[in-house]
Structure formats: C-alpha cells, structure tokens
Amino acid sequence: MQYDIDFLIIGSGIAGLSFALKVADAGRVAIVTKKEAVETSTNYAQGGIASVLGRYDSFDLHVQDTLAAGDGLCRQNVVEMVIRDGPSRIRELMDWGVAFTRRSADNDELDLVLEGGHSQKRIAHAGDFTGRVIEQALLDQARRNPHIGFFENHIAVDLITYSMRMKRGTVTAAHEDVCCGAYVLDTGNGEVHTFRAKITVLATGGTGKVYLYTSNPDIATGDGIAMAYRAGALVGNLEFVQFHPTCLYHPEAKNFLISEAVRGAGGILIDARGRRFMEDYDSKKDLACRDVVARAIDNELKKSGDDSVFLDITHKDSDIVQARFPNIYEKCLSLGIDITKEPIPVVPAAHYMCGGVLVDIDGRSDVERLYAIGETACTGLHGANRLASNSLLEAVVYAHRAATHAKAHLEKKTLDFCPEVPPWDPMGTTDSDEAIVVSHNWDEIRRLMWNYVGIVRSNKRLLRAKNRIEMIEEEIHQYYWNFKVTPDLIELRNIAVVAHLIIQSASLRKESRGLHYNLQYPNKDDRHWLKDTILRRPFVG
Ligand SMILES: Cc1cc2nc3c(=O)[nH]c(=O)nc-3n(C[C@H](O)[C@H](O)[C@H](O)COP(=O)(O)OP(=O)(O)OC[C@H]3O[C@@H](n4cnc5c(N)ncnc54)[C@H](O)[C@@H]3O)c2cc1C
C-alpha cells in the first residue's frame, strides 16, 4: 500500500504530538508509532519541565545553569532561544489541557521545584506523573483532530531518500540529499507500506536500550538516529550518554526511575553502611549534576563490591513525601519498600542521549525535507551534558520551531520530485526460524555497551567494543537480507548501528568532558576538543 501525505511524523511522544498539533491546519498528517501511541519515554517522565516561571528566576540564570552543565559544548544561541521561548510553550501545554501542580488549591501559581544543577526552583511538574499528564493531554488533542491519522503498531524501517544533485547531474557521486517519506512495517500483518510525504519528521526518542541497564522504555532503540545515518544525514555528539544516577534496584522493577526531584527535596545518598559519600566528590554534594553523581556511585560500587547504594528521604515528613512523590511511593511500597521509613536501593542506568541527528535552529537535518526533534535530535542545547528537565522543554520548543518552518515552506513543496518510489522489496521471504540469533545479539550488544562503553571508559575497552560490534554487525547484515523483516530484527539492526556510532564517537574524543570520561584522558582539553563529534556514513557509490 502507498500513502501520500503532507506530514509524516515518526513517533508519538511530546515532540511528535506537539509538531502534529501545530501543522494539522496546514495539511494531512500521519503519525506512525511502533507500539500503542502512549508507549513513549515522555509517558514515563516524572520530574517535570524546566522553565523560567518564578519570581526570583531569570533567563540569564537558566542560561548559565544550562551552559555550566553542557561543559563548553552548548551552542549559546540555541540555549538563549530555547530558554526564552520556554514560558510560551509551557502556557501552550496548559492551553492543551496539561494540569501542572499548583502551590495550593486556592493559589494559581505553579508549584515550582528544584532539581540537581539548577540554581533556582524552576521545574513545573504534575505530581511525579508529569510525563503521563503531558502525553495524555496531547494525545487527547491529537485524536480529536480530523487532520491527524494514527498508525499504531507501525514501525518505520528506513527513510526514502534521493540524491537530487545526482539527478540534476551536478555531481556524479553524492549522499542522498532529499527525503520523501519512509518504508513502514505494519506489525499486525507483516506488510511494508510506502509513506510518501512532503515533510518527514523523526521524533523517535532516545537510545537507552543500547545499554543493559536503562530507565528507558522498550521503544528507545535509537531508530531515528540509525535511519538518518543510513540515509546519509550528519549525526553528532553520540558519546554523551547520560546515566541517571538513581534507578530503583530491585529484581522485579524493570526500568523504574527514582526522580532527581527526590534529591531536590532533600534526599541523601548513603552507602550500605549508612555513610554519606557525595561530599567526597562535589561541593554541591547530593545536588551535584547527574554525571558527577552517577560517576560517584559507580566508583563507590566498584570500591565496595555492593549491588547498590541507597537514597534516603526518611528524615522528611512522611505526609509531604507521599504527597510529592505518589508514584514513587506506591511503586516502592508495592515492592515492599516504604520510602518514608527506609532508604531506597538505587543504581545508575542509561537515561538520556544528548547527541543525535544534527539539526539547525529550526530542527532541519542536512537532508532536505527531513526534520528531527526531541531526544533523537542534536540541537546544541545540551552540549556535553543535559541539565535535568531541559529535555521536555527542548522537545516542545523545537516542535514549535520545526512546525513553523515546515508550514511556511509547504506551499512550495510537491510530491512530484519523487514520482517513482519503488515498493519495498521483501527479498528473503523465508520466515526466520532462528529467532535465537536475534535475541542473542540483542543481549550481547547491550552487555558489551554496559561493560565497555559505560560511565567510565578506557582505550582498551573501546577497542574491544569496536571489534565485537563490527563482528555482530556483519552477522546482522547477513541475517537481515535473508529473512523477512520483523520488529525485533529492525530494532536489532538499529541498536547495532547506534552502538557502533557511540563507540566511534567515544574513541574519537581524546579527553574527558561532561558525560564522556576516559581513564587515559582524564582531563578536559579545550585546545583540541572544544567541538562537536560529527559523523556521516561513508558514501558507497
Ligand atoms: C523514566 C524517565 C524519566 C524522565 N524524566 C524526565 C523529566 O522529568 N524531565 C525531562 O525533561 N525529561 C525527562 N526524561 C526524558 C524525556 O522524557 C525524553 O527525553 C522525552 O520524553 C523524549 O520525547 P520524544 O518525543 O523525543 O520521544 P519519546 O517520548 O520517547 O517518543 C518516541 C516515539 O517514537 C516512536 N518510535 C521510535 N522508533 C520508531 C520507529 N522506528 N517507527 C515508529 N515509531 C517509532 C516510539 O514508539 C514513541 O512513540 C525522562 C525519561 C525517562 C525514560
């Protein structure tokens, strides 16, 4: 089947849905999403969204905090733009029905809270269900809109790209430079459809599933980054993987995060013997930036051999803790941990990808008609490290920028430039009876990334990881073309590409900065490395 539309949006998190709502008055919109629409990282965000909304706060302070976290690699103009646009985007979320928590029932002011790395209380939240409340409000709006069509349980396989320069004869060999849609697998019936679109938007979220331990849901396999790279787009800064310091450590808890806001509310990190340790690492102690805290916990665990450290909030009033963290309280209680009476066992886990598809200030990749927004993009806001709660903000600001730009240029675009999109070639039609190969490779990639390309890296570990991933990629390559595509195989191919790109980027950066730490180069080297790590697929003619 072939669909011809104006806007193809891949992903139904905060970025994809906000973009859809903004362009729906200008054309037909299709949202393709690989599971149920609600299954997104957005839906699991707890802490909140950062913006300058408080009386004592200022744009300058938020800019300074963001630049300090980014450790020299933020793009100043992007930081200024995102932070100044923040309050308007928060008001828009509220107009769409997002009910942020107020200071009290008879007070209209938002209840702004503090998080690690912020110098002011500026996190707007909805209890500790912020993401769920945002996702639900945006989904409600989008489902009511007659111009927006949802394709749930549809997974994008690859982008459809052309080289206009080659077509025009201006060059003989070039990367593809125009995108006109994507091939998409309907996971219900196994058919691959062609979506031709004037504008294609990658809003595919993060890459947490590349690592063994992650706070991310299963959808976070870096598909957008892998597809864009295969299509010849530039990708950048993929070595900067943020590890959240405090994921719940419990055999029955899959990917459950203990929000940064718990430390913001006075939570203290202790080891198994009850000793506070953050004062050994940073003057901000438990409120230090995420990377500092994650590395400190990693170091404590390596020294002690313990399975976890603990986050203690028992000294705070029990009613206040329950009211502020209802989700965390209930979840922990269901596992036999009463957080008002006992410390919570926690470990670090892969949480956020600061790098991604390289985009300009309007969310455009360097492939024409292809935008990337939300966690899948590298905008320059986060630099070498993301400040807590700046990602939801970045997603809404860039959805707005990209939608405004795309709408303004839609008139001039037609689908005539790519008249003959060939239907998907199913190639090897045999159903795979070797599913074990897929699950084995999944497991091996996630484990090798955790062990060799995790919080603390070294040249030797990176080299080992590179050798292994090249062998695995070769195996996947053979498997991929011999069997029918399945969601597992598509995701496996993507995590392998993203893992390889992270290893390549980490190997190139011969210094330690922000989230990237290499034992052989423990210091920052501004003279040589005050720059992005940018990669592009080598051209195969
Ligand atoms: C547990 C947790 C807590 C967090 N807390 C906060 C917080 O408090 N504040 C904050 O600012 N940030 C937080 N973050 C980060 C933030 O939630 C994410 O960065 C943000 O929600 C990403 O939004 P997105 O729209 O880019 O992607 P997502 O919300 O992840 O949506 C991605 C979408 O793309 C779809 N998709 C992916 N690949 C394909 C494909 N091949 N084909 C079709 N569809 C595809 C997925 O199905 C999904 O619909 C948290 C993240 C997690 C995991």
Side-chain angles (χ1 to χ4, degrees):
M1 174 101 91
Q2 177 169 309
Y3 299 93
D4 282 358
I5 44 174
D6 295 304
F7 301 98
L8 170 64
I9 302 169
I10 306 174
S12 55
I14 186 170
L17 292 175
S18 309
F19 183 96
L21 290 171
K22 283 172 174 283
V23 295
D25 59 349
R28 289 151 307 149
V29 181
I31 299 180
V32 162
T33 182
K34 65 180 168 182
K35 298 210 165 161
E36 273 181 60
V38 75
E39 204 39 40
T40 59
S41 284
T42 302
N43 200 43
Y44 294 90
Q46 296 174 348
I49 177 163
S51 190
V52 177
L53 303 160
R55 224 173 295 163
Y56 306 107
D57 202 359
S58 71
F59 290 135
D60 283 348
L61 286 174
H62 193 179
V63 168
Q64 274 169 33
D65 294 343
T66 303
L67 293 176
D71 212 2
L73 288 194
C74 299
R75 280 183 225 156
Q76 175 105 22
N77 63 327
V78 167
V79 176
E80 300 263 355
M81 180 280 285
V82 171
I83 283 164
R84 285 177 185 280
D85 196 33
S88 308
R89 303 283 71 81
I90 303 279
R91 273 193 292 278
E92 195 167 57
L93 285 175
M94 288 160 65
D95 291 343
W96 279 330
V98 177
F100 289 113
T101 301
R102 308 274 169 179
R103 288 183 66 181
S104 65
D106 51 2
N107 189 332
D108 241 16
E109 272 181 67
L110 294 183
D111 178 46
L112 301 174
V113 296
L114 191 64
E115 282 189 353
H118 289 273
S119 58
Q120 293 289 320
K121 290 185 176 181
R122 64 168 74 98
I123 318 299
H125 66 100
D128 59 352
F129 299 101
T130 310
R132 198 184 307 174
V133 171
I134 294 176
E135 180 72 21
Q136 209 51 63
L138 298 184
L139 264 181
D140 286 349
Q141 292 285 340
R143 289 208 194 273
R144 263 189 256 136
N145 193 308
H147 303 292
I148 301 176
F150 277 88
F151 292 81
E152 293 181 289
N153 302 307
H154 279 64
I155 178 167
V157 185
D158 263 319
L159 297 170
I160 301 167
T161 45
Y162 273 80
S163 174
M164 290 302 278
R165 284 170 291 171
M166 275 177 76
K167 207 168 154 189
R168 289 187 200 115
T170 51
V171 287
T172 48
H175 278 92
E176 296 80 357
D177 55 355
V178 191
C179 177
C180 60
Y183 291 114
V184 176
L185 171 73
D186 177 344
T187 61
N189 62 16
E191 277 175 34
V192 176
H193 305 301
T194 305
F195 281 74
R196 291 198 328 160
K198 293 179 187 168
I199 302 285
T200 303
V201 183
L202 294 169
T204 46
T207 60
K209 294 294 284 187
V210 170
Y211 285 91
L212 189 58
Y213 300 114
T214 176
S215 66
N216 291 188
D218 289 347
I219 54 99
T221 48
D223 297 2
I225 296 170
M227 285 189 284
Y229 178 76
R230 282 196 295 270
L234 292 172
V235 297
N237 288 356
L238 291 161
E239 67 274 39
F240 298 116
V241 179
Q242 187 169 68
F243 289 82
H244 196 289
T246 53
C247 266
L248 179 60
Y249 180 73
H250 189 283
E252 284 164 42
K254 194 183 168 206
N255 314 339
F256 190 76
L257 194 73
I258 306 297
S259 161
E260 196 109 48
V262 175
R263 284 186 289 123
I268 292 164
L269 284 161
I270 52 175
D271 65 16
R273 284 147 289 284
R275 186 183 67 89
R276 287 186 76 156
F277 57 83
M278 274 315 299
E279 44 211 38
D280 301 345
Y281 294 90
D282 197 283
S283 59
K284 289 188 192 151
K285 299 180 194 168
D286 298 274
L287 282 178
C289 267
R290 279 188 182 163
D291 57 320
V292 176
V293 181
R295 236 178 356 253
I297 297 176
D298 190 60
N299 194 39
E300 289 294 315
L301 293 178
K302 286 204 169 104
K303 271 194 321 195
S304 65
D306 293 337
D307 290 332
S308 76
V309 295
F310 296 84
L311 184 55
D312 189 3
I313 187 102
T314 55
H315 50 286
K316 292 282 170 185
D317 183 281
S318 155
D319 292 339
I320 295 177
V321 170
Q322 285 182 54
R324 173 71 184 89
F325 305 110
N327 183 22
I328 295 174
Y329 176 74
E330 286 300 330
K331 176 72 183 187
C332 291
L333 201 60
S334 75
L335 297 167
I337 305 163
D338 181 345
I339 67 169
T340 64
K341 296 201 174 79
E342 57 196 309
I344 314 163
V346 289
V347 287
H351 183 57
Y352 186 81
M353 170 48 86
C354 291
V357 182
L358 215 62
V359 294
D360 71 6
I361 197 114
D362 292 312
R364 289 188 301 165
S365 76
D366 71 326
V367 171
E368 215 184 297
R369 300 175 184 228
L370 179 67
Y371 294 73
I373 52 177
E375 191 169 338
T376 209
C378 178
T379 63
L381 175 70
H382 309 305
N385 191 3
R386 172 190 73 132
L387 185 64
S389 288
N390 263 359
S391 44
L392 291 174
L393 176 68
E394 180 193 49
V396 278
V397 169
Y398 269 86
H400 175 72
R401 300 280 307 191
T404 309
H405 188 277
K407 265 163 64 165
H409 294 83
L410 188 69
E411 291 276 283
K412 292 183 221 137
K413 300 200 190 309
T414 70
L415 274 171
D416 299 343
F417 76 100
C418 59
E420 295 156 28
V421 177
W424 175 259
D425 176 2
M427 290 160 295
T429 48
T430 341
D431 281 314
S432 159
D433 56 358
E434 291 280 345
I436 186 70
V437 178
V438 176
S439 63
H440 176 86
N441 280 333
W442 254 95
D443 201 51
E444 186 170 355
I445 293 173
R446 298 184 66 202
R447 205 168 280 280
L448 86 86
M449 289 302 286
W450 185 258
N451 289 332
Y452 298 152
V453 202
I455 298 172
V456 175
R457 298 154 182 180
S458 73
N459 287 352
K460 216 190 223 169
R461 291 177 199 169
L462 289 172
L463 187 62
R464 266 195 206 128
K466 176 178 167 288
N467 292 339
R468 282 303 306 144
I469 198 72
E470 281 174 359
M471 284 169 67
I472 297 172
E473 271 194 309
E474 184 49 40
E475 204 169 297
I476 296 170
H477 187 71
Q478 286 170 16
Y479 200 78
Y480 194 81
W481 300 115
N482 285 335
F483 295 102
K484 258 187 185 167
V485 285
T486 63
D488 280 353
L489 188 51
I490 291 166
E491 290 184 340
L492 172 65
R493 183 167 76 134
N494 291 337
I495 67 161
V497 169
V498 174
H500 201 161
L501 292 171
I502 295 173
I503 296 166
Q504 261 179 279
S505 310
S507 307
L508 280 170
R509 186 169 289 280
K510 306 220 180 308
E511 62 157 1
S512 290
R513 178 188 299 275
L515 298 164
H516 172 70
Y517 189 82
N518 184 327
L519 288 169
Q520 270 74 51
Y521 313 102
N523 300 317
K524 211 159 39 179
D525 175 2
D526 277 348
R527 209 155 76 88
H528 299 103
W529 288 104
L530 201 57
K531 60 184 179 190
D532 295 333
T533 314
I534 297 174
L535 301 173
R536 194 202 289 277
R537 189 202 75 202
F539 176 71
V540 261

